[in-house]
């Protein structure tokens, strides 16, 4: 098997020959679908300006990188990886595969210099605007290279991508015919983690193909499906099939979409979602095996809180065994531990004593001041 390094060659370029990738997987963190800009428009001024402004969003930490480069200079060992833009120009332009944050930081510094807000020497300007990159031979390199190269840095490395971007990369690599094990090894993941990312991405793609909810499928919903695959009972309730690569229970998955985004009503207006955030799936997993609690949740006015309350009423906490264990543990504490107790531990014991006292007082009040049987 050929190594990707065999398809990379050093190339000296000027900064204005480099194009930010307008379909950068990072932009999914902004709630955008990627691969929206056709490649023949990459060099348009407005397209590049839009990509530049997106890269400056605080969550990408480019300002910190900019300040580091300003202080230390652009280190030559940290080379940007590019491929030739398909449109032929003179001089040739290149699309950044790996290094969009660095290109943004360099461009930002040069803009600040031009605006008089920073001042760099001639040598500094030369190093910021004329440097060596690594050129990928995209004609000879495997198609997986454009995913593996950034993946090695960002799936488990320097500026880690969010889960949706990781999942997208796993999906793309598996689509090239790589096995789950090969994909995991390529990106420095465990096979189990790689498979979970793949399934959750497919689940979001399935929503994107749904007749009713396709317009509401967006990268930020990925975390819901990530939670689903962490909970086997929810996954089974929705009928996930690895062979078909989708959820097979149409009624349940359509309900689930509605609970995530809200039911679609008249004039395509959405009701309030019953699962307002991804972590709501954790509580949902507690009620789906209880028919009464699930029925309450499904009702028009039903909420997750109402369903959980019913579940707890039908399945009271076995507090006696917990209290017994607690009492036994405290009774067996050796003198050495008692002597070494810090203020936080003593406060917890005081809190426990206060809670027990309050429970006994509350019981007395419920019994009408009589600690015997409850009055009829």
């Amino acid at each position: 098997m050929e190594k990707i390094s065999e398809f990379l060659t050093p190339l000296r370029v000027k900064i204005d020959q480099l194009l930010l990738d307008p379909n950068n997987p990072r932009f999914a963190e902004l709630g955008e679908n990627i691969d929206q800009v056709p490649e023949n428009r990459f060099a348009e001024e407005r397209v590049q300006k839009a990509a530049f402004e997106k890269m400056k969003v605080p969550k990408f930490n480019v300002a910190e990188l900019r300040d580091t480069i300003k202080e230390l200079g652009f280190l030559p060992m940290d080379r940007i990886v590019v491929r030739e833009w398909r449109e032929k120009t003179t001089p040739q332009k290149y699309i950044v595969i790996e290094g969009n944050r660095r290109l943004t930081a360099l461009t930002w510094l040069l803009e600040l210099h031009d605006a008089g807000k920073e001042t760099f020497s001639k040598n500094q300007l030369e190093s910021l605007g004329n440097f060596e990159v690594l050129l990928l031979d995209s004609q000879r390199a495997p198609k997986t290279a454009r995913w593996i190269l950034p993946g090695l840095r960002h799936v488990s490395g320097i500026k880690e991508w969010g889960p949706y971007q990781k999942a997208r990369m796993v999906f793309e690599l598996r689509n090239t015919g790589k096995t789950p094990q090969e994909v995991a090894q390529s990106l420095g993941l465990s096979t189990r983690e790689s498979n979970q990312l793949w399934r959750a991405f497919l689940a979001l793609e399935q929503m994107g193909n749904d007749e009713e909810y396709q317009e509401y499928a967006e990268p930020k919903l990925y975390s819901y499906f990530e939670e689903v695959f962490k909970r086997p009972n929810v996954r089974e309730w929705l009928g996930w099939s690895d062979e078909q690569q989708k959820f097979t229970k149409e009624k349940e998955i359509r309900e689930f979409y509605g609970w995530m985004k809200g039911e679609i009503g008249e004039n395509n207006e959405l009701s309030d979602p019953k699962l307002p955030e991804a972590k709501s799936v954790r509580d949902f997993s507690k009620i789906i095996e209880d028919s009464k609690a699930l029925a309450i949740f499904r009702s028009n006015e039903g909420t997750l809180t109402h369903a959980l309350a019913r579940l707890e009423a039908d399945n009271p906490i076995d507090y006696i065994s917990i209290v017994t264990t607690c009492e036994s543990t405290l009774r067996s504490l050796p003198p050495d531990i008692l002597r070494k107790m810090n203020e936080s531990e003593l406060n917890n014991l005081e809190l426990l004593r206060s809670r027990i006292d309050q429970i006994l007082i509350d019981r007395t009040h419920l019994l009408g001041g009589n600690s015997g049987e409850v009055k009829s």
Side-chain angles (χ1 to χ4, degrees), residues 132-164:
E132 193 173 82
V133 299
L134 289 174
L135 174 64
L136 176 70
D137 185 342
S138 52
Q139 298 297 318
R140 295 175 50 241
K143 292 181 179 180
T144 55
R146 69 174 287 230
W147 293 100
I148 291 176
L149 284 166
L152 288 172
R153 268 176 93 91
H154 301 300
V155 170
S156 57
I158 293 176
K159 175 58 180 170
E160 190 168 339
W161 276 346
Y164 174 80

Side-chain angles (χ1 to χ4, degrees), residues 186-202:
S186 296
L187 300 176
L189 301 170
S190 69
T191 302
R192 180 177 179 277
E193 184 182 3
S194 174
N195 286 339
Q196 291 286 68
L197 291 165
W198 175 71
R199 292 185 182 105
F201 184 87
L202 288 171

